[in-house]
Amino acid sequence: RAVYNAKEHGTPAFLRTLAFFVIPAGGLAFALGVFFSFWSLMAGAAGDATLIIEKQVFGGSSATTTSTFTVLRSLPGLSTPFETITSSATDLDDAVGAESGGARVTIGAPSRFVVLENNPGAYSPRYSTACNSPIGEGDGLTCFVDNLELAVGQGSVTLVPFIAVNNGGTALPADVALSVVEAGVSSVGVTAGQSALFDLSDGAKTLSFANTIPVGYVRTSLACTDNGAPITLGEGDTFSLDANHSVQCLAIYDDLPMKMRLLKSFSGGPVATEINDWTLKAQGNQATPSVVTGIGSAFSDTLMPGVYTLSETADNQRAQDHSVHAWTCTYADTSAVSVSAENTISVALGDDITCTSTSTFAPTTGADLSLSLSASTTAPQAGSLAEFTLTVTNSGPENAVDVVLSGV
């Protein structure tokens, strides 16, 4: 196997997994065997994924002697937006211009992860797209971290977004618009995991972090370091950037939870009828369906985005003698949610939805009797005759037999 050093040839980080395999004469099976053995080594065991972190320093007479990394992971159903699965990877001990041997990290999959170098010092850190990515079961990914030496009078700002998926969100780092703003002067857009360079030969600049957040997400934290040391941001997420300093900011975005309430309403029927005569249910179309269900009412705030089918079950004859009039749903601001003819609704990140099933009394068995009273006059005179009529009505569906009128 001949390995192509992509960094020495100036190949972008996202292409650095390229390698050339030299196939000896008559050795195709051997070469393929080497390839698949190599891939198996990279991929890890079933249920896990393997992440290799490699670092290279560009410029300068010496490199940072030790590199540690924090790896954050998020996955659907996690009770918190993310968890730290490793706080310090193995020391890399890089030499200038040479790749490290790599730090290997095992990640439970499928999930979403981000890699952050803890101590880049005065170097400008930049990350390949595989450092902030979804990862599937059995996958093997290599995250390349470059440290660029700053020129005299130069400063750097690196922006790293991490998008949690614990509530089922699907946004990617590229969906967050990031920028560094110098008030009244300029706004510099920054690609996720990359850096913006500033000329500070005339002195330090006051800058601020800015972002456009995808719908259904909220930024839960923003933490920045200056040459590896934590800094306190000012009002409006401002900070000072000095010459030969590298500021790195990690912004975490959480996908908003969804809420759904199911309520029952009815009219008519026997006096004993109550909402607990019905079981309500909303079932999602996810591979592992999210379900909201309960007797008389139901609530859940642990849903996943998707399409939900609304249904109910009549648990006794009283309920069965009612017909479902309609499902109606509203958002928290009381605006209407569209309900299809099949009683389905779409639920997205951040939605707070209340759905009510309304039923009217329309018995399918027995007799439905009602009694009314009318008079020939509503203002009878003294000594005159008035005729009163009692009317018994049977709304069905069955005949009424041996009806007795009493108490008149």
Side-chain angles (χ1 to χ4, degrees), residues 157 159 177-181 186-192 194-198 210:
V157 178
L159 302 183
L178 303 168
S179 58
V180 179
V181 179
S186 64
S187 176
V188 180
V190 180
T191 301
Q194 301 301 300
S195 57
L197 299 176
F198 293 85

Side-chain angles (χ1 to χ4, degrees), residues 146-219:
D146 295 339
N147 279 187
L148 282 69
E149 183 188 28
L150 296 173
V152 175
Q154 196 175 52
S156 167
V157 178
T158 301
L159 302 183
V160 179
F162 180 52
I163 302 180
V165 296
N166 57 304
N167 289 312
T170 58
L172 298 171
D175 296 325
V176 181
L178 303 168
S179 58
V180 179
V181 179
E182 183 180 2
V185 179
S186 64
S187 176
V188 180
V190 180
T191 301
Q194 301 301 300
S195 57
L197 299 176
F198 293 85
D199 181 4
L200 302 170
S201 54
D202 293 331
K205 293 180 181 293
T206 297
L207 306 173
S208 62
F209 172 92
N211 59 183
T212 301
I213 303 173
V215 175
Y217 291 79
V218 62
R219 196 184 83 199

Side-chain angles (χ1 to χ4, degrees), residues 52-96:
I52 293 180
I53 304 170
E54 292 197 3
K55 172 184 169 180
Q56 186 174 4
V57 178
F58 291 85
S61 57
S62 63
T64 54
T65 57
T66 301
S67 295
T68 62
F69 298 87
T70 294
V71 181
L72 306 181
R73 180 185 76 144
S74 181
L75 69 161
L78 196 65
S79 60
T80 57
F82 67 90
E83 60 185 5
T84 303
I85 62 171
T86 180
S87 58
S88 59
T90 184
D91 295 348
L92 299 184
D93 296 329
D94 301 329
V96 174

Side-chain angles (χ1 to χ4, degrees), residues 115-141:
V115 174
L116 194 73
E117 185 176 7
N118 296 325
N119 54 339
Y123 288 84
S124 175
R126 297 181 180 182
Y127 303 86
S128 69
T129 55
C131 299
N132 193 346
S133 169
I135 193 166
E137 183 177 313
D139 283 354
L141 295 180

